[in-house]
């Protein structure tokens, strides 16, 4: 199945084009958990702080579904 | 330590030692207590009985990291309630080093057209503050970017810092900030919210310059404890991914929040009618960083707004010809002129920020009011040129500009707009209450009107700082907002920038460091419970003033449309009822 992924801020370096916030599609197996994307993208787990799936913050054990939209953020803040 | 009172009726002054009652107060706790004690709650904000108080925090002027904040307090012409607005600037650092604990501006001249400049220095022999006056009328009616260099030129050779007001304040708008200089002497650091610039203008005071030559610096009761504290705090700031050098804030600035709020469906778009902006990535902090890199041919990390800052979050936007356009494009400003108006061009957004700085307008209030004006059909959504033209009309005092300059709540009434995102008349900042419940509770109940900094629950609700809470759930959010409001009242008292919270909420030794610093300066033995109680007491004092001013719990409400219009993409309303909202201050 396919999921759409966006990597933000400093995580952009792990995206296929190296660009932040630019969506790309990944092919994953049914039943894949969110944390499996880390291995596929070679992202150290500790560099990710907030994980969104379809606009909701999720935990690493979230089971992905077809066409899910994933957004991963490093620790960021502002105001 | 001094209390310096200036009476603008006759430009006399009174210098006294700090009264016993106020010795353990500073920053927001001092400005709010002085306003509550000395300003009649029903006084007209622009009349002779209102006062304007400036106070540096406990550690402002010391070597404590990220602590050059100045609190400005008064009765707000925007909300009609008590107001504290603070800024980071070298001016704050100097006032702290000159040992002026409170500068209290009172009265007003009988002739309405008078504008004065004041230079505060120190007597070489006695160390006491001295005052020089100059006629500032010649500096009125002009852009602050033109005026500030003239003022620095006039006092060439002296180490002055400038606080002033712009044309918005000369027009007595509800939207008018107090302007402070940044590290490059630009008029860009604002105590922006609540119209306090107009309070200063109503007193005929155009500038307050500080010449800190010979300043003794802040008196520190227990140097060892203070040093221990500042080292702990500095270590936390240098370690945390958000606040460390080349970390999130230093790299991308506060506008790094654009994408995450958009992803969460909480980025107010098109005057708070949606929670996502399809072109968010084009205006995000990452786009600013990349855009600057492309235009200058090299990476640029951000700079400090004031002396001694480790976080250094202030960015600069450059034009295509590599000349500096404006510093700083904050998240709030970026959003207010960007997603909120459906403008996706950083050059246009930067121009709007610069115009606001030049005219002395608050960027949040301006952007939110423009959103309401767009809703009313005064100008089209997404039209950057029309927005620029409208801000000129505001600055120049044209009739439609005066309506918009009155602030979001008033402008919404005049223009007949139901979807007016304001609480207590003050325009809402860059987080959607329907999609982030805790911040909605803060907007509704804060003594300041809709103010994100008053209780920044975004940290645990969106950023996973301190905790990892669901922003769409109302569970536990009343207590959360209350705790954040009280803690913030203390941070605004300490003199620290609120952004230290990202590090100290995650790193306990940093939190203790902040407390140690304050105990070191004051010689106190306050605990974490004590500082929370001090913060809570500030809220009680502010709340009491507001109630006496006619702003009670009926004003602690989110606009009706947010209760009835579902917000895409999550299609949620703000469902927290009145009784529940009243618990924030009811159980304080």
């Amino acid at each position: 199945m396919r999921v759409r992924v966006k990597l933000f801020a400093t995580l952009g370096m792990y995206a296929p084009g190296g660009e932040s916030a630019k969506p790309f599609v990944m092919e994953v197996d049914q039943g894949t958990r969110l944390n499996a994307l880390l291995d596929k993208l070679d992202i150290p787990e500790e560099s990710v702080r907030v994980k969104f799936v379809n606009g909701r913050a999720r935990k690493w054990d979230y089971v992905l579904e077809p066409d899910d939209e994933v957004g991963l953020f490093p620790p960021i803040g502002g105001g | 330590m001094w209390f310096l009172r200036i009476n603008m009726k006759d430009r006399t002054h009174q210098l006294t030692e700090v009264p016993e009652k106020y010795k353990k107060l500073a920053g927001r706790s001092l400005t709010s207590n002085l306003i509550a004690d000395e300003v009649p709650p029903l006084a007209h904000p622009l009349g002779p009985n209102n006062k304007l108080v400036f106070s540096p925090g406990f550690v402002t002027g010391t070597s404590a990291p990220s602590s050059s904040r100045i609190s400005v307090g008064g009765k707000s012409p925007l909300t009609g309630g008590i107001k504290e607005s603070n800024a980071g600037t070298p001016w704050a650092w100097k006032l702290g080093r000159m040992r002026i604990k409170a500068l209290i501006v009172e009265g007003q001249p009988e002739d309405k057209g008078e504008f004065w400049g004041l230079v505060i220095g120190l007597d070489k022999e006695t160390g006491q503050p001295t005052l020089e006056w100059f006629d500032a009328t010649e500096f009125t009616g002009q852009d602050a970017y033109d005026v500030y260099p003239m003022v620095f030129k006039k006092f060439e050779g002296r180490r002055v810092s400038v606080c002033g007001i712009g044309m918005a304040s000369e027009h007595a708008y509800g939207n008018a900030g107090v302007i402070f200089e940044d590290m490059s002497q630009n008029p860009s650091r604002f105590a922006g919210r609540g119209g306090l610039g107009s309070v200063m203008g109503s007193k005929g005071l155009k500038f307050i310059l500080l010449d800190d030559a010979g300043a003794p610096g802040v008196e520190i009761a227990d140097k060892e404890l203070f040093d221990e504290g500042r080292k702990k705090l500095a270590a936390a700031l240098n370690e945390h991914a958000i606040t460390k050098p080349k970390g999130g804030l230093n790299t991308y600035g506060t506008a790094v929040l654009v994408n995450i709020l958009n992803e969460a469906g909480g980025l107010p778009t098109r005057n708070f009618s949606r929670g996502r902006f399809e072109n968010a990535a084009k205006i995000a902090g990452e786009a600013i960083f990349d855009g600057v890199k492309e235009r200058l041919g090299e990476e640029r990390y951000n700079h400090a707004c004031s002396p001694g800052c480790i976080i250094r979050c202030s960015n600069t936007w450059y034009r295509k010809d590599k000349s500096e356009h404006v510093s700083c494009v904050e998240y709030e400003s970026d959003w207010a002129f960007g997603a909120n108006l459906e403008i996706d061009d950083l050059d246009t957004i930067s121009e709007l920020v610069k115009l606001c700085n030049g005219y002395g307008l608050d960027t949040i209030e301006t952007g939110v009011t423009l959103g309401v004006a767009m809703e009313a059909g005064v100008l089209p959504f997404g039209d950057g040129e029309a927005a620029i033209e409208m801000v000129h009309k505001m600055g120049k005092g044209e009739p439609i500009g005066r309506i918009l300059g009155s602030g979001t709540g008033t402008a919404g009434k005049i223009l007949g707009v139901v979807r007016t995102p304001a609480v207590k008349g003050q325009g809402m900042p860059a987080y959607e209450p329907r999609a982030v419940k805790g911040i909605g509770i803060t907007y509704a109940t804060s003594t300041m009107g809709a103010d994100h900094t008053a209780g920044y629950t975004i940290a645990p609700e969106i950023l996973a700082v301190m905790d990892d809470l669901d922003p769409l759930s109302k569970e536990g959010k009343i207590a959360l907002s209350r705790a954040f409001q009280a803690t913030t009242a203390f941070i605004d008292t300490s003199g620290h920038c609120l952004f230290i919270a990202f590090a100290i909420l995650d790193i306990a030794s940093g939190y203790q460091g902040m407390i140690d610093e304050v105990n070191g300066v004051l010689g106190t033995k306050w605990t974490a419970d004590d500082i929370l109680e001090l913060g809570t007491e500030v809220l009680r004092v502010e709340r009491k003033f507001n109630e006496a001013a006619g702003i009670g719990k009926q004003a602690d409400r989110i606009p009706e449309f947010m209760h009835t219009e579902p917000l895409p993409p999550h299609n949620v309303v703000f469902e927290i009822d009145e009784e529940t909202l009243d618990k924030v201050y009811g159980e304080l």
Side-chain angles (χ1 to χ4, degrees):
Chain A
M1 64 179 192
R2 291 176 151 203
V3 295
R4 217 162 77 111
V5 181
K6 283 183 276 187
L7 304 176
F8 292 96
T10 42
L11 298 180
M13 62 189 275
Y14 300 104
E19 262 186 78
S20 159
K22 196 172 177 184
F24 58 93
V25 172
M26 287 179 74
E27 193 73 42
V28 297
D29 296 333
Q30 291 278 351
T32 297
R33 289 179 194 277
L34 192 52
N35 59 1
L37 298 184
L38 292 174
D39 281 346
K40 285 178 180 290
L41 293 164
D42 213 13
I43 304 175
E45 182 177 329
E46 64 276 11
S47 58
V48 181
R49 185 78 168 243
V50 187
K51 295 98 50 188
F52 286 101
V53 182
N54 306 325
R56 301 293 301 270
R58 299 293 182 190
K59 311 267 183 228
W60 283 125
D61 60 1
Y62 175 87
V63 179
L64 291 166
E65 291 180 20
D67 301 320
D68 270 351
E69 304 217 347
V70 177
L72 302 180
F73 288 85
I76 57 167
Chain B
M1 300 283 276
W2 305 105
F3 263 25
L4 177 57
R5 289 177 188 272
I6 318 277
N7 190 335
M8 289 305 297
K9 186 173 184 207
D10 48 12
R11 299 193 311 288
T12 52
H13 72 277
Q14 191 193 17
L15 185 70
T16 59
E17 289 283 337
V18 177
E20 197 58 38
K21 177 184 177 186
Y22 298 115
K23 280 195 169 150
K24 298 287 190 280
L25 300 174
R28 176 173 169 189
S29 63
L30 185 53
T31 63
S32 286
N33 271 281
L34 278 167
I35 295 302
D37 288 346
E38 299 186 8
V39 174
L42 296 175
H44 195 289
L46 304 176
N49 293 323
N50 196 8
K51 299 190 182 189
L52 190 68
V53 183
F54 297 83
S55 178
F58 287 131
V59 302
T60 302
T62 70
S63 55
S66 306
S67 68
S68 293
R69 302 293 294 191
I70 184 76
S71 285
V72 189
K75 177 172 170 169
S76 164
L78 184 70
T79 68
I82 201 163
K83 176 59 69 175
E84 184 264 1
S85 189
N86 65 67
T89 164
W91 197 92
W93 193 73
K94 287 186 180 170
L95 196 67
R97 290 177 44 76
M98 291 167 81
R99 297 193 177 177
I100 297 174
K101 197 172 177 76
L103 173 62
I104 306 159
V105 185
E106 309 174 336
Q108 63 189 187
E110 274 161 27
D111 179 1
K112 223 178 160 229
E114 280 181 27
F115 278 101
W116 293 93
L118 168 64
V119 189
I120 304 173
L122 293 171
D123 186 277
K124 281 199 184 84
E125 315 263 296
T126 64
Q128 291 191 359
T130 58
L131 277 70
E132 299 163 56
W133 293 94
F134 63 96
D135 186 344
T137 317
E138 61 173 307
F139 298 110
T140 59
Q142 298 175 70
D143 189 304
Y145 281 98
D146 296 328
V147 168
Y148 268 55
M150 291 191 257
V151 174
F152 281 112
K153 177 96 182 146
K154 185 178 170 79
F155 294 93
E156 211 170 2
R158 292 172 69 176
R159 297 192 331 190
V160 294
S161 274
V162 181
C163 155
I165 55 166
M167 289 163 72
S169 301
E170 294 164 20
H171 300 315
Y173 289 167
N175 172 358
V178 179
I179 314 171
F180 297 92
E181 84 204 45
D182 67 7
M183 297 282 272
S184 306
Q185 301 188 330
N186 289 310
S188 65
R189 307 309 313 189
F190 274 58
R193 306 235 66 193
L196 293 177
S198 289
V199 177
M200 188 162 155
S202 75
K203 300 190 175 306
L205 189 55
K206 177 76 176 163
F207 301 113
I208 305 169
L209 277 64
L210 299 178
D211 178 348
D212 70 335
V218 177
E219 196 174 354
I220 298 174
D222 183 344
K223 186 78 169 61
E224 206 175 318
L225 181 62
F226 170 79
D227 282 338
E228 204 179 300
R230 85 178 156 81
K231 282 176 194 164
K232 279 187 209 163
L233 178 57
L237 294 172
N238 277 314
E239 176 191 331
H240 197 281
I242 295 175
T243 54
K244 70 183 182 185
K246 294 201 175 183
L249 279 167
N250 184 233
T251 306
Y252 299 116
T254 56
V256 72
L257 294 187
V258 170
N259 281 326
I260 199 166
L261 264 302
N262 193 54
E263 200 65 17
L267 184 73
T269 301
R270 198 181 168 93
N271 187 36
F272 289 75
S273 61
R274 299 198 306 271
R276 275 199 186 144
F277 180 41
E278 58 278 16
N279 293 336
K282 287 177 73 177
I283 62 167
E286 294 92 320
I288 296 174
F289 184 80
D290 292 343
V292 168
K293 185 178 167 187
E294 193 189 314
R295 287 189 176 176
L296 297 184
E298 60 181 38
E299 288 184 347
R300 280 291 167 93
Y301 291 85
N302 296 330
H303 60 272
C305 68
S306 53
C309 186
I310 289 176
I311 304 169
R312 295 169 175 257
C313 69
S314 301
N315 60 15
T316 306
W317 182 248
Y318 294 86
R319 298 186 185 89
K320 282 178 187 154
D321 66 3
K322 300 189 183 192
S323 64
E324 181 175 325
H325 194 163
V326 73
S327 174
C328 149
V329 183
E330 299 279 7
Y331 168 61
E332 297 293 333
S333 317
D334 189 19
W335 156 81
F337 299 129
N340 189 49
L341 306 184
E342 292 192 310
I343 291 171
D344 63 6
D345 172 49
L346 282 168
D347 290 314
T348 303
I349 290 167
S350 298
E351 182 63 15
L352 287 162
V353 172
K354 181 146 197 187
L355 288 175
C356 283
N357 291 352
Y359 287 127
L361 292 160
D362 172 26
T363 54
I364 299 179
E365 202 65 41
T366 303
V368 180
T369 309
L370 283 174
V372 168
M374 287 179 173
E375 183 88 45
V378 175
L379 65 167
F381 277 105
D383 190 336
E385 278 179 34
I388 287 171
E389 195 186 328
M390 195 56 74
V391 174
H392 279 299
K393 287 180 179 176
M394 291 172 75
K396 288 177 180 157
E398 293 184 20
I400 184 68
R402 285 181 182 245
I403 290 171
L404 301 190
S406 65
T408 305
T410 302
K413 272 184 203 165
I414 296 172
L415 299 172
V417 176
V418 175
R419 195 184 285 134
T420 296
V423 179
K424 300 180 177 81
Q426 180 166 295
M428 277 185 189
Y431 313 89
E432 236 301 339
R434 285 166 284 188
V436 196
K437 308 296 183 198
I439 202 72
I441 295 166
T442 295
Y443 287 173
T445 59
S446 164
T447 49
M448 299 293 145
D451 178 350
H452 62 298
T453 67
Y456 195 69
T457 61
I458 297 301
E461 292 189 282
I462 297 287
L463 307 173
V465 168
M466 186 187 91
D467 205 341
D468 198 351
L469 305 175
D470 179 1
L472 296 176
S473 164
K474 60 182 182 181
E475 200 63 41
K477 299 291 175 67
I478 293 290
L480 181 76
S481 174
R482 188 194 299 121
F484 268 69
Q485 290 191 49
T487 307
T488 302
F490 181 78
I491 294 178
D492 291 345
T493 291
S494 74
H496 280 295
C497 171
L498 190 54
F499 290 171
I500 67 164
F502 296 120
I504 68 175
L505 290 175
D506 275 341
I507 303 170
S509 58
Y511 199 98
Q512 187 57 43
M514 172 185 72
I515 299 172
D516 292 347
E517 284 177 349
V518 172
N519 282 330
V521 168
L522 296 175
T524 44
K525 291 194 168 69
W526 289 346
T527 62
D529 287 344
D530 294 331
I531 67 162
L532 196 62
E533 176 52 28
L534 193 156
T536 305
E537 186 54 28
V538 173
L539 299 179
R540 289 191 193 110
V541 166
E542 292 173 347
R543 176 75 186 187
K544 197 173 157 203
F545 181 93
N546 279 0
E547 284 177 357
I551 304 171
K553 61 184 181 185
Q554 290 81 0
D556 290 351
R557 301 293 177 250
I558 287 294
E560 187 189 32
F561 77 90
M562 293 185 170
H563 291 283
T564 55
E565 287 181 18
L567 180 85
H570 297 302
N571 296 315
V572 284
V573 296
F574 190 79
E575 78 282 32
I576 301 170
D577 61 35
E578 298 179 353
E579 213 169 59
T580 308
L581 284 175
D582 290 343
K583 287 182 183 165
V584 175
Y585 278 76
E587 295 171 10
L588 197 63

